[in-house]
Every structure is written in C-alpha cells, then in structure tokens.
C-alpha cells in the first residue's frame, strides 16, 4: 500500500522526524532502521516493513512524502498525521 502526503518540513527534516517516530527516545512505535539514504528511510516493525521517501515539493517550500508498505499498516495514518503537524524550525534570536 502506498500513502502520499505533504509536509511543511524539508525532506531531511521529514526523514529525521520519521526516525524519531520509530527509534527516538519518545518514540510512538517500535521499529529498527533497515536502510536509508538522502531521500528515504526504511523500517522493520513487528508487523512488517515500511519505507518513507521524501523529496522537495516544487509547489511549496515543504516536501512530498510517500509511505509504502506491503500490507495495511495501522501506523501509517499516525505517522502521516505526525509529519503534517510538525512545523519547520526557523532561526531567530
């Protein structure tokens, strides 16, 4: 199954947020990283595998995000909602 969404985050920040979602200290689900590159990160969960790809969205300053699984995964809606609710950190002082 493939789910596509957008995020106001940069592709790098999307992948970092996905990593935090699955393996960070305040993780929302348990998984381990299977593989990763500059544009994707793949996780193994108890139920299966999922891959998250993020690329710059030419229509906005954010990213297009694609989450792919082999079967329906209940974590996908939680992950996509999490990614959509995060906002970019801007400099300031």
């Amino acid at each position: 199954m493939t789910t596509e969404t957008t995020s106001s985050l940069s592709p790098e920040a999307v992948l970092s947020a996905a990593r935090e979602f699955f393996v960070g200290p305040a993780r929302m689900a348990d998984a381990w990283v299977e593989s990763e590159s500059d544009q994707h990160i793949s996780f193994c969960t108890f139920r299966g595998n999922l891959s998250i790809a993020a690329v710059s969205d030419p229509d906005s300053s954010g990213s297009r995000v694609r989450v792919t699984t082999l079967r329906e995964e209940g974590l996908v809606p939680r992950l996509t909602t999490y990614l959509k609710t995060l906002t970019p950190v801007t400099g300031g002082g």
Side-chain angles (χ1 to χ4, degrees), residues 14-73:
V14 166
L15 298 179
S16 179
R19 177 183 280 279
E20 288 297 314
F21 184 89
F22 286 107
V23 298
R27 66 185 159 267
M28 296 181 202
D30 286 321
W32 64 92
V33 176
E34 182 178 44
S35 66
E36 61 186 313
S37 72
D38 291 342
Q39 294 185 330
H40 96 286
I41 188 166
S42 295
F43 295 95
C44 292
T45 69
F46 176 74
R47 294 196 62 213
N49 300 26
L50 75 146
S51 181
I52 300 129
V55 296
S56 294
D57 185 354
D59 298 330
S60 74
S61 60
S63 302
R64 291 185 184 181
V65 181
R66 178 179 285 179
V67 181
T68 307
T69 63
L70 292 176
R71 62 178 160 224
E72 185 174 352
E73 178 66 69

Side-chain angles (χ1 to χ4, degrees), residues 7-9 13-14 16-18 28 80-89:
S7 173
S8 61
L9 302 174
V14 166
S16 179
M28 296 181 202
T80 56
T81 299
Y82 174 71
L83 294 173
K84 287 185 81 67
T85 60
L86 296 175
T87 57
V89 175

